[in-house]
Every structure is written in structure tokens, then in C-alpha cells.
Amino acid sequence: MTGPSRTSEVLEITTTAGVVQARQQVRVLAQQCRLSLVDQTKLITAASELARNTLVHGGGGTMTALLVEERARRGVRLSFADHGPGIADVDLALTDGWTSGTGMGLGLSGSKRLVDDFVLDTTPGEGTTVTITKWGR
Amino acid sequence: MTERVPILRIRQVLLVSIQTDLDDQDVLLLQDDLAQAVVDSGAHGVVIDITAVEIVDSFVGRMLATIASLSRLLDAQTVLVGMRPAVAITLVELGLSLGGVRTALTLDKGLRMLEDDRVERGSEGTAPDAVAHA
Amino acid sequence: MADKHVSERLIALLSGRGEDLGAEWAEKVTGSLGGRVARAEVERELREIYAALVAALSDGSVDGYDEAFGEVRALLTELSRNRALQGFTPTETAVSVFALKQVLEPSLVGEDSDADAYLRFAALLDTLGLFTIEVYSRTREELIAAQAEQLLELSTPVVKLWEGVIGVPLVGTLDSARTMVVMEKMLQALIDTGSEQAIIDITGVPTVDTEVAQHLLKTVVAARLMGAECTISGIRPQIAQTIVALGIDFGDIVTKSTLADALRHALRRSGTTVSRTAPQAGAR
């Protein structure tokens, strides 16, 4: 009973409208998963930050969203992938207030605080994948 | 799918009520429109109603803080009204406290806050106001 | 097939004494429950299980987790759940299964003794007995979780202290989960009551750790974002020491030593003045 249980949906994020679509898709999943209102809001906000990162810093990419089930708990897992420049200094990028340009520098560090699991996988020159999971209580 | 958020003027206050999920371009557009509207109208206050808003991320948060700073430079007060509990909790967790942005529970309380301000400022006795009241 | 053979002999063993055996079984179970479940009720439960057991055995299986025993397990699940909810012990629950073993024992004595079949049957009953205990403990866990949730709801009241002022009296140990529930409940109450002032009273809280203190701070900041102000009252000396020792900065958050002081402060901020009328009785 571990791992993905439903078919995943892949969304292209290539415009600012894609960021809005990502938020809407995540909202539907979060409601299906019966997350509390606060947890829904946290997850959608984190998705919004990461989708924007994918667009702005990664030059566009995809969001893969799915419901997961593990040890009798359910959750929503989102994976944001791009083939952008990657992140040279991960620790620095996860520091509050650090920004590569636009924004308030809360995108990565802030969204990490909003979810339960946060995995950042990046290779300079090849791209970045951020996978987050929010579990139902 | 760019849509402009309407900016209403009620006497000396500009009212913006965000009702839809705005994309980043709409947000920037609103920021520009609002700054222009403050200058054009000479309004003394701006009320931004986010009762219907389900998500405030750092981008929208930055827009709100920017509008507050901008209007202060243009001699207008900004009040943010109607933030939902879930949104407030999320913003705090995200690390945004929107320092410098004034807030009120409801539109009504926000408008009253601006009125009280004006009365206070008026009582300090600026010449044109004094004449107008007389 | 050995299993087939064994189950046939078991059916013979079980149906050989038929009604007799059933009555004895019910007798043993009722006795061990100390009359807290009516004899007729026990008989009905056991008769169903007995019938399902024989039916499963005629399918040629002696493995309790086999598909053939689906009906038996369903009946045992129901029985275990009921016992667990009615407050019986695990022993009193599992006895329904294990008693059948004791009842069968006398059949081993005498000419038609069938030790092999009995041993296989004993193993089957052990499996089913363990199954009932598993269901029992799962039910109890669910019960405890539900009670913990109810307790959480009960222990975090939000009360209206005055027009525009709500209070959250916290009593007992605060953990991260409970503090979060309080936080959400209080913020919602601000909207529901249209209150711009909230007082979090922690007089009844023995200790505060870093995480809880952080949650309280976040609550205050969240309330401000919504347009309301919080006052924290009743900070005990030990808690004040902890907060200072942990280096937690309460910043410009107003703290008062008593709930009364906090209420006076909240009222002043909301523009309400409270004055004492002249002591008429004394000034005659």
C-alpha cells in the first residue's frame, strides 16, 4: 500500500496563466484528499510559489500532481520540474530573503515551511525538480 | 485572459474588491492602475477588500505592500480588509507579516478607520480644510 | 489433499455433537462474560459463527486467512467491535473463539479420538482468536483517537467577554497540535463575532516550549493581518523565565499579568470606558 495510487496529471507551466491553472488543479486535489481548509490553503500557496519559480527561474516546465496513500494516510504530492539553469547554492536558495531577482525571496524557503515533505533536486545547467507532499491529518 | 480589477471611488476613498484568481500580470496591472487612480483622484484612502480571496502568495503580498508604500508617498492611507483566517495563517507561515500595511476585519471597519484618520488629521488644522468646514 | 481430508474429519467432529456442542460453547462464553451479555445474544452470535465455520470448512480449507473464512472473519469483526465498544477486555473478547477449543477437548478422549484433526483445528482457532484481538485493539485505538479529538474541542473554548472582545482561556498542557487548533478557532471567532480584540489567557498553562511559544506568536501576527489585536495574559513567572531563556522575542505584543488587566486594556483600545459609579451607600 505504498506509493502512487492514482494516475498523475501533468500540467505545462509556460505562462502566468499556467500558474493560475496549477493553483486550481491543486485545489481540486486538496479537496478530494479532504485536507483541512488551512492545509488546503497552505498547499495551494506553496504550489503557487513553486509554479512561479518554474516559470520565472526555470524558463517554464511542468507540474505533476497526484494523490498518494501511505501507511493509512492520504496526501497530495506535487512535483515541479524545469530544464532551467538549476540552483548553484541550494543552502543559500533556501535562506529566507535570498532572491535571485524578482520576488521577496520567500518562494523556496517559504513553501518548504508550508508543506510536510520537501525534496529539492537540482543540477546546475540541467534543471531543477522540487517535490512536495502535504498529508491529511 | 487578462482582466482588469475595477477601482471604485466613493467620495475620497478608492475601493478595490478582488473577486477572481488573478494571474501575475493582472496583479501588476492592478498595482499600476491603482497608483494612477490615487494621483488622478487625489483620494486620501485606499481600501483593498480580499474577503473573496482564497490565496495570497508572496507575489500578491508584495503587491499589497507596494501599494501601501506607494499610496503613502502620494498622501493616501491603505487599509487591507477581509483577510480570511486560513490566508492569514498561511502568510505568517510563509514569512510575510505585511508590516506597514494597515488591516481591518471588514470593509465597514476599514472605511471607518480611514474616516477617523481624516478627522484626526483635520483637527491638526490644515488651512483649506478649516475653510471648507466653516 | 491433506487439508481436504482434515477439514472433512473436522466437520464430522463438529457436527457429530451438533446442538450439544453449541450449547456447551455458549455456556462457557456466557459464563466468562459474567452475565453482561444476555445468553440469547451470545447464542445467536455463536450460532452464526458456528454455521459460517462449518461452511468454510466444507470448502476444504483450514487456513483462517483464506477467502473461504471471509464470512467467519466478518462475524468475528462485528463481535470484536461490539465487545471493544462495550468495554470488555481483550480476554473476554477472544474467549468466544478459544472456548470452542475447550469444548472440543472431551471429544479427544475415547475411541474416536482424532488428535491430528484437533491440532489443525486448534491452530485455526488460534488464528481466528488473534484476529479478534487485532480487531479489538484497532477499535479501541479508533475510540481513543475520537475521544482525544473531542477532548481537544472541549478544552479550547472561545468565549465572548464583551462586545468586540473575545477570550481564549487555555488550561492544561499545550502541545503544538492543540495550539494550532486554538489558533484557527480563535481567528474564525474574530470573524464570526466581529471582534477586534482577543485575549489569550494562559493562567492555567503550566509550561510552554519553544514550539508552542512560536505558535502563540504566529497567532498574534495572523490576527493582526486580519485586523485584530491580541493580548496575552496570565504568564506565570516560570513561563516568563522560559520565554526569556529560550530567547523568544515577543516584540510589541501586549502582555498583562491577569485576565482582568487584559480586559481593561482591550476595552480601552476598543474605545469603551468603564467607570465606577460614586459609592452612593457610603456617601449619604
Side-chain angles (χ1 to χ4, degrees):
Chain A
M1 288 269 287
T2 312
S5 61
R6 303 275 171 94
T7 48
S8 54
E9 293 170 65
V10 179
L11 176 79
E12 298 275 336
I13 303 169
T14 48
T15 60
T16 53
V19 179
V20 177
Q21 273 173 1
R23 287 200 288 259
Q24 285 161 356
Q25 208 177 75
V26 173
R27 172 174 295 120
V28 172
L29 273 180
Q31 282 166 355
Q32 269 175 25
C33 187
R34 291 167 185 272
L35 293 183
S36 72
L37 184 61
V38 172
D39 283 346
Q40 278 183 35
T41 309
K42 285 182 178 175
L43 180 66
I44 302 166
T45 307
S48 184
E49 299 290 341
L50 295 174
R52 185 176 297 108
N53 276 356
T54 302
L55 178 68
V56 176
H57 304 298
T62 56
M63 177 186 84
T64 311
L66 68 160
L67 282 174
V68 285
E69 232 168 277
E70 185 185 291
R71 276 177 281 141
R73 57 179 187 169
R74 297 177 80 198
V76 180
R77 181 164 295 159
L78 308 171
S79 198
F80 297 85
D82 66 56
H83 296 289
I87 301 167
D89 189 337
V90 174
D91 289 340
L92 183 63
L94 281 170
T95 311
D96 263 358
W98 183 85
T99 169
S100 61
T102 55
M104 300 183 88
L106 291 167
L108 274 183
S109 57
S111 48
K112 186 177 178 185
R113 282 194 294 268
L114 293 176
V115 296
D116 298 315
D117 299 337
F118 182 98
V119 180
L120 175 65
D121 187 10
T122 181
T123 312
E126 284 178 29
T128 305
T129 302
V130 180
T131 305
I132 57 172
T133 312
K134 187 100 192 153
W135 296 107
R137 268 188 274 170
Chain B
M1 61 172 257
T2 303
E3 47 188 310
R4 277 190 135 84
V5 180
I7 300 172
L8 309 175
R9 184 176 162 186
I10 308 168
R11 286 187 221 141
Q12 286 302 296
V13 174
L14 295 178
L15 172 63
V16 177
S17 186
I18 302 175
Q19 299 289 332
T20 52
D21 195 349
L22 300 175
D23 77 16
D24 293 1
Q25 267 147 18
D26 300 335
V27 170
L28 291 176
L29 203 61
L30 173 60
Q31 187 178 310
D32 293 346
D33 284 356
L34 205 49
Q36 191 61 50
V38 172
V39 173
D40 291 349
S41 67
H44 71 79
V46 176
V47 176
I48 305 173
D49 171 35
I50 57 166
T51 310
V53 175
E54 291 175 334
I55 297 297
V56 174
D57 61 11
S58 66
F59 195 84
V60 173
R62 184 171 62 135
M63 178 268 284
L64 294 171
T66 306
I67 287 176
S69 313
L70 270 177
S71 33
R72 207 171 302 130
L73 283 175
L74 301 170
D75 197 27
Q77 291 286 329
T78 303
V79 183
L80 182 63
V81 304
M83 188 185 290
R84 299 180 177 195
V87 172
I89 292 171
T90 303
L91 273 181
V92 174
E93 205 68 54
L94 194 61
L96 273 177
S97 56
L98 297 183
V101 180
R102 302 177 69 189
T103 54
L105 276 184
T106 60
L107 181 56
D108 184 58
K109 287 186 187 347
L111 287 171
R112 198 169 316 146
M113 194 183 258
L114 287 175
E115 239 164 63
D116 292 350
D117 264 18
R118 198 164 145 74
V119 170
E120 236 169 73
R121 281 207 284 178
S123 68
E124 279 166 21
T126 45
D129 271 17
V131 171
H133 282 301
Chain C
M1 243 176 84
D3 276 3
K4 182 91 185 157
H5 189 57
V6 171
S7 57
E8 265 165 23
R9 278 191 290 167
L10 275 176
I11 294 169
L13 199 67
L14 284 174
S15 31
R17 288 176 52 211
E19 284 296 301
D20 215 23
L21 192 132
E24 211 178 310
W25 188 15
E27 186 68 41
K28 273 216 172 341
V29 174
T30 315
S32 68
L33 294 179
R36 276 178 292 163
V37 179
R39 163 102 197 205
E41 171 77 7
V42 173
E43 264 178 25
R44 188 191 55 78
E45 283 173 350
L46 296 186
R47 203 175 310 123
E48 282 175 0
I49 294 171
Y50 184 79
L53 202 56
V54 172
L57 286 168
S58 5
D59 275 5
S61 171
V62 281
D63 176 7
Y65 280 102
D66 204 88
E67 209 176 307
F69 285 90
E71 174 69 11
V72 179
R73 287 199 302 272
L75 288 167
L76 286 175
T77 301
E78 195 195 326
L79 182 140
S80 309
R81 286 193 70 89
N82 288 340
R83 294 279 194 281
L85 292 174
Q86 287 158 2
F88 287 97
T89 66
T91 310
E92 286 166 334
T93 304
V95 76
S96 300
V97 175
F98 292 128
L100 186 56
K101 244 201 251 185
Q102 294 171 21
V103 173
L104 277 178
E105 232 175 63
S107 310
L108 289 170
V109 196
E111 284 170 21
D112 58 345
S113 72
D114 198 339
D116 186 35
Y118 174 76
L119 283 175
R120 297 297 290 267
F121 192 58
L124 170 65
L125 287 182
D126 287 347
T127 308
L128 294 177
L130 288 175
F131 176 79
T132 60
I133 292 174
E134 240 168 64
V135 174
Y136 176 91
S137 61
R138 202 159 54 229
T139 308
R140 296 296 279 191
E141 267 164 34
E142 283 165 16
L143 207 63
I144 291 166
Q147 282 171 348
E149 207 167 296
Q150 283 171 3
L151 209 61
L152 202 63
E153 283 290 308
L154 275 179
S155 61
T156 51
V158 177
V159 293
K160 184 172 169 181
L161 292 175
W162 204 276
E163 194 60 48
V165 184
I166 57 169
V168 189
L170 294 176
V171 176
T173 308
L174 282 181
D175 61 10
S176 183
R178 189 176 157 210
T179 315
M180 240 145 84
V181 171
V182 180
M183 173 170 171
E184 292 177 29
K185 222 170 148 180
M186 189 197 84
L187 296 179
Q188 188 56 49
L190 289 173
I191 295 196
D192 295 344
T193 62
S195 301
E196 287 174 315
Q197 299 289 332
I199 299 171
I200 304 171
D201 183 68
I202 58 171
T203 309
V205 178
T207 54
V208 164
D209 63 14
T210 318
E211 214 175 333
V212 169
Q214 294 290 359
H215 277 308
L216 285 177
L217 285 181
K218 284 177 190 167
T219 312
V220 177
V221 179
R224 275 188 190 159
L225 283 173
M226 291 168 55
E229 277 298 321
C230 293
T231 306
I232 298 178
S233 69
I235 300 182
R236 290 151 164 253
Q238 303 98 298
I239 293 183
Q241 297 232 17
T242 315
I243 290 172
V244 172
L246 291 171
I248 297 162
D249 185 11
F250 265 47
D252 52 352
I253 293 168
V254 179
T255 53
K256 294 283 169 193
S257 56
T258 66
L259 181 57
D261 290 341
L263 180 58
R264 194 176 303 128
H265 175 80
L267 286 175
R268 189 163 348 112
R269 270 210 289 211
S270 65
T272 310
T273 44
V274 183
S275 61
R276 208 183 293 261
T277 48
Q280 309 230 324
R284 156 190 297 268

